[in-house]
Amino acid sequence: MVENIQRVAQEIEAAQLSNAAELEQFRITYIGRKGQLAALFDNLKEVAPEQRREVGQQLNQLKNRAQERFDQAQEQLANSTESNTDTGFDFTLPTIPNTLGTRHPLSLVRREIVRIFERIGFNVAEGPEMEDDFHNFTALNFPENHPAREMQDTFFLSEDKNRLLRTHTSNVQVRLMENNQPPLRSIMPGRVYRNEAISARAHMVFHQVEGLYVNKGVSFKDLKETLYYFAKELFGQDTKVRFRPSFFPFTEPSAEIDISCLICKGEGCNICKQTGWVEIGGSGMVDPAVLESCGIDPKVYSGFAFGMGIERITMLKYQIKDLRLFTENDVRFLRQFEGVI
């Protein structure tokens, strides 16, 4: 037993403790719970009773010495680390200026659209992107055999087709009318999903902004004046607006919204297919059946609604010819909008 104590004492004194790895190995080998000192204390019971006290004192001294060596080495190592000022960095190098990012063009246009409508009393309403059949189709007067209800047009999340990714932000209009009483005046910007092939003119994920105004005595004239104001504020006071008769399940009467081509100023070019006009969205008076399905009496209230793609508006405003640029995150493209406020 005494020989073992002497051997361990020599090893403790000879141990190299110049770095953190050696220090940790020393702790594990000698003063850890499973180290050699712990083993020596366990073997103390095998020593003869008359020698046990003396051997025990030697063991305690050895334990204290091992702990002392460990503490001293640990302190020296900490001090040497703190005093080492060589970080490997040259502080004489010139500073690198902070570089600011920029808003995405879609975010820029969305913000501008929101500001325009806020000035005439519209607030912003939002709703879920995962929707049920009622809020996305049924409440909006879509017949059961409408093509939009097919898998070729819509991403369904369940086999019974009751859960889907919304195909428009009209679901927010339905929820707004369900939970609030007129007057209602809101726009609904947001991301929508349709099962379409990705190309320069189409994408499976894109953004819409829709608008809804419901009150007593709302007429088609109110719709036209609202959209005249919007188009001139967004595209310029020289912009012309026209309405073409159309059909949507949720509005009656309905109309497509066209503006004069921003490229040729109405003269005719490849962008507008020589017509001088570019379509930006659809609109119409809210169908009485939609008001009734949302709990609003169509005999008392009327309203108008409109919708347009934010990508389409952004492409027109900044003359972008490929819709895929919005989702490719090409820094060369995005940096072109650094100066836009």
Side-chain angles (χ1 to χ4, degrees):
M1 183 68 175
V2 175
E3 293 179 355
N4 289 335
I5 294 175
Q6 292 176 349
R7 176 183 58 79
V8 173
Q10 292 175 358
E11 292 177 359
I12 289 174
E13 295 299 332
Q16 297 293 325
L17 305 177
S18 58
N19 55 55
E22 292 177 347
L23 191 65
E24 178 64 12
Q25 186 60 45
F26 180 87
R27 185 192 67 80
I28 295 172
T29 304
Y30 298 107
I31 63 179
R33 294 179 61 184
K34 297 182 179 180
Q36 294 190 32
L37 287 175
L40 290 174
F41 275 101
D42 289 340
N43 294 333
L44 186 61
K45 60 181 178 292
E46 299 177 0
V47 178
E50 62 274 12
Q51 297 178 347
R52 193 171 298 167
R53 180 176 181 180
E54 180 181 355
V55 173
Q57 291 177 347
Q58 293 179 12
L59 277 176
N60 285 328
Q61 292 174 358
L62 181 60
K63 178 182 178 182
N64 292 336
R65 176 54 183 163
Q67 188 66 48
E68 181 182 3
R69 280 221 64 193
F70 178 83
D71 293 341
Q72 290 176 349
Q74 190 176 45
E75 183 178 356
Q76 291 176 358
L77 189 62
N79 292 337
S80 64
T81 302
E82 292 177 1
S83 62
N84 185 9
T85 59
D86 184 11
T87 63
F89 180 78
D90 186 355
F91 287 95
T92 64
L93 291 173
T95 59
I96 300 175
N98 292 329
T99 56
L100 296 178
T102 179
R103 292 182 183 271
H104 193 279
L106 294 179
S107 298
L108 291 168
V109 172
R110 170 179 165 148
R111 183 177 63 173
E112 189 172 358
I113 292 172
V114 169
R115 287 176 174 176
I116 291 172
F117 281 106
E118 281 181 342
R119 291 198 288 268
I120 54 175
F122 284 76
N123 57 26
V124 175
E126 296 182 340
E129 295 182 12
M130 290 187 295
E131 193 52 276
D132 57 52
D133 179 273
F134 176 79
H135 291 92
N136 198 82
F137 292 128
T138 304
L140 293 165
N141 210 30
F142 279 84
E144 292 185 1
N145 60 348
H146 194 279
R149 291 178 179 263
E150 298 299 322
M151 295 182 64
Q152 289 81 3
D153 284 355
T154 300
F155 290 106
F156 291 96
L157 304 178
S158 60
E159 293 183 0
D160 61 3
K161 294 187 177 181
N162 189 47
R163 300 294 296 171
L164 52 95
L165 296 177
R166 66 182 183 188
T167 58
H168 43 208
T169 58
S170 301
N171 67 315
V172 186
Q173 296 187 35
V174 175
R175 292 181 177 275
L176 186 66
M177 289 188 285
E178 279 184 328
N179 300 316
N180 300 275
Q181 286 299 310
L184 304 172
R185 184 158 48 184
S186 299
I187 59 171
M188 301 85 185
R191 185 166 47 226
V192 299
Y193 308 84
R194 294 183 187 176
N195 191 2
E196 296 185 7
I198 298 175
S199 67
R201 298 178 60 85
H203 206 289
M204 55 173 285
V205 181
F206 57 100
H207 299 78
Q208 278 188 337
V209 57
E210 297 191 10
L212 174 71
Y213 179 40
V214 178
N215 205 348
K216 295 179 180 179
V218 178
S219 67
F220 201 91
K221 179 180 182 297
D222 299 313
L223 168 63
K224 292 175 67 177
E225 293 298 333
T226 299
L227 294 176
Y228 283 150
Y229 166 79
F230 163 73
K232 290 180 180 294
E233 287 293 308
L234 184 65
F235 299 110
Q237 294 302 312
D238 295 334
T239 304
K240 297 178 181 179
V241 182
R242 76 174 184 181
F243 293 84
R244 289 180 292 108
S246 186
F247 169 79
F248 303 109
F250 35 84
T251 54
E252 181 62 37
S254 305
E256 302 281 359
I257 312 164
D258 296 340
I259 64 169
S260 53
C261 181
L262 303 177
I263 308 299
C264 64
K265 306 301 181 183
E267 297 296 327
C269 65
N270 293 334
I271 302 299
C272 63
K273 299 179 181 179
Q274 306 301 326
T275 64
W277 297 94
V278 179
E279 178 189 337
I280 64 170
S283 63
M285 301 300 295
V286 180
D287 194 300
V290 175
L291 293 175
E292 191 170 359
S293 67
C294 296
I296 296 176
D297 189 350
K299 296 180 181 179
V300 178
Y301 296 100
S302 59
F304 66 73
F306 58 86
M308 56 196 78
I310 297 180
E311 278 84 351
R312 169 67 68 87
I313 295 176
T314 307
M315 294 174 75
L316 291 173
K317 185 175 179 62
Y318 296 117
Q319 300 181 21
I320 299 169
K321 298 182 180 180
D322 194 328
L323 186 144
R324 291 170 292 190
L325 289 169
F326 294 130
T327 53
E328 289 178 348
N329 292 324
D330 189 327
V331 176
R332 295 169 298 178
F333 168 72
L334 297 176
R335 281 178 178 166
Q336 299 178 53
F337 301 90
E338 290 179 345
V340 181
I341 299 176

